[in-house]
Amino acid sequence: NLFQLAIDGPAASGKSSTARIAAQRLKFEYIDSGAMYRAVTLAALRQNLSPLSLDDASKISQLAATSHIFIHTIFNPPPIAHTSSSKPSLPQTLVYLNGDDVTHDIRSPEITKNISGIASNPDVRRVLVEKQRAFANGIYDYEGDKLNTIRKSSKGVVMDGRDVGTVVLPNADLKIFVTAPARIRAIRRFKELQQSSTNKSLIDFNKVLEDLEKRDKNDYERKISPLKKADDAILLDTRDMSVMEQADKIIELVLE
Ligand code: C5P
């Protein structure tokens, strides 16, 4: 049986970096449940369906059921050639929608703006939760030579999201709920955006904070599967922790 580790928490809490590093070191597979909601949002927008309009809700849930979402994490990516950094690269999670690499497209502000309509669609959630449970139980799915998502050598799975401990894997072996004050999370997100942007002056901290607070509100107050700490989850406040320290702490808890 695979060890199931559920990590939930609000946006920019450091869950996904921490989850990927922990997965790499524990030889667990990593499943990014948020990427699946993002991929369905992109699929809807590509079909000119509006995620925020109730009129399109049933078409979108059909689309979720018929789309092939493929997630593949490369645990030891080669270092980027033009950097002299000797730091090992973080594991990279690639996301495909019907065979098309959408890894970057699903992170656009357009997707983030529309995702609350997808995340509050009960039929979409039913479809995605079923896929997430299948992955967590070691269901194999190949695309080309890539495995979606559990390698035979994996000892377990780490899944991160909003409702993993409460809804997707209520019997997970370990549940962690990651938090940090909104301001601290906004600073992390701001730095990330600055690093990846060619025009740093276009990034406005107050806008980043405002967007984050809006997403928190949507995630915490959604009627269906809201963001919530499971009663048996361990609370991890990461305000004073680096990503490496968070991963160390989680690994310690798994091995306990
Ligand atoms: O984790 P990430 O920021 O990529 O998630 C994007 C959005 O997808 C979240 O803000 C949330 O609305 C939704 N989501 C969800 N349930 C999950 C994971 C993500 O509703 N398990």
Side-chain angles (χ1 to χ4, degrees):
N1 260 9
L2 295 164
F3 188 101
Q4 293 181 339
L5 169 57
I7 305 183
D8 290 300
S13 55
K15 306 182 298 293
S16 97
S17 307
T18 308
R20 279 178 291 148
I21 296 168
Q24 181 174 42
R25 305 223 311 248
L26 289 162
K27 296 203 163 36
F28 281 16
E29 205 50 69
Y30 167 62
I31 304 159
D32 179 350
S33 68
M36 299 168 94
Y37 289 91
R38 289 176 179 276
V40 173
T41 308
L42 181 67
L45 293 175
R46 283 187 171 174
Q47 301 277 320
N48 288 320
L49 296 169
S50 168
L52 298 173
S53 149
L54 278 182
D55 292 346
D56 287 346
S58 73
K59 281 192 190 136
I60 292 176
S61 55
Q62 272 173 31
L63 190 62
T66 52
S67 297
H68 186 227
I69 299 167
F70 185 81
I71 301 178
H72 177 70
T73 298
I74 302 174
F75 281 102
N76 291 297
I80 302 165
H82 59 268
T83 63
S84 55
S85 166
S86 55
K87 272 200 273 175
S89 320
L90 279 185
Q92 287 168 4
T93 300
L94 305 177
V95 182
Y96 296 82
L97 172 65
N98 301 322
D100 190 8
D101 184 346
V102 296
T103 308
H104 298 289
D105 293 359
I106 60 166
R107 306 282 160 199
S108 76
E110 175 80 357
I111 298 296
T112 308
K113 204 170 75 197
N114 280 285
I115 206 161
S116 64
I118 300 293
S120 56
N121 181 322
D123 297 320
V124 170
R125 294 201 79 90
R126 202 170 309 123
V127 168
L128 294 187
V129 166
E130 199 178 302
K131 285 190 204 219
Q132 289 154 5
R133 286 187 184 140
F135 290 163
N137 286 306
I139 304 297
Y140 297 86
D141 178 6
Y142 283 91
E143 187 163 285
D145 58 351
K146 299 191 208 79
L147 178 60
N148 184 19
T149 189
I150 310 299
R151 291 165 298 182
K152 282 216 174 77
S153 59
S154 289
K155 298 190 170 78
V157 294
V158 183
M159 191 185 303
D160 76 341
R162 303 293 187 286
D163 62 340
V164 182
T166 50
V167 176
V168 184
L169 305 176
N171 299 317
D173 297 282
L174 178 65
K175 300 177 185 177
I176 315 260
F177 193 85
V178 183
T179 55
R183 204 168 185 80
I184 300 232
R185 288 183 283 119
I187 292 171
R188 291 177 185 161
R189 179 53 50 89
F190 178 70
K191 287 188 182 155
E192 243 171 54
L193 290 168
Q194 281 206 317
Q195 263 172 17
S196 61
S197 159
T198 44
N199 192 346
K200 301 194 186 333
S201 61
L202 284 181
I203 301 159
D204 172 9
F205 176 75
N206 287 323
K207 176 85 172 69
V208 173
L209 178 62
E210 196 184 298
D211 286 351
L212 198 85
E213 285 176 333
K214 204 190 283 169
R215 196 131 69 93
D216 278 2
K217 188 169 158 50
N218 280 330
D219 283 340
Y220 279 112
E221 294 178 7
R222 177 168 65 224
K223 286 205 188 70
I224 173 164
S225 307
L227 171 60
K228 188 171 170 292
K229 178 186 164 302
D231 292 338
D232 52 350
I234 294 172
L235 187 67
L236 188 64
D237 187 327
T238 64
R239 73 182 76 193
D240 297 318
M241 292 173 100
S242 70
V243 168
M244 286 302 168
E245 286 168 338
Q246 294 173 42
D248 284 344
K249 179 71 199 168
I250 288 176
I251 291 167
E252 191 188 303
L253 291 168
V254 170
L255 299 177
E256 235 169 39

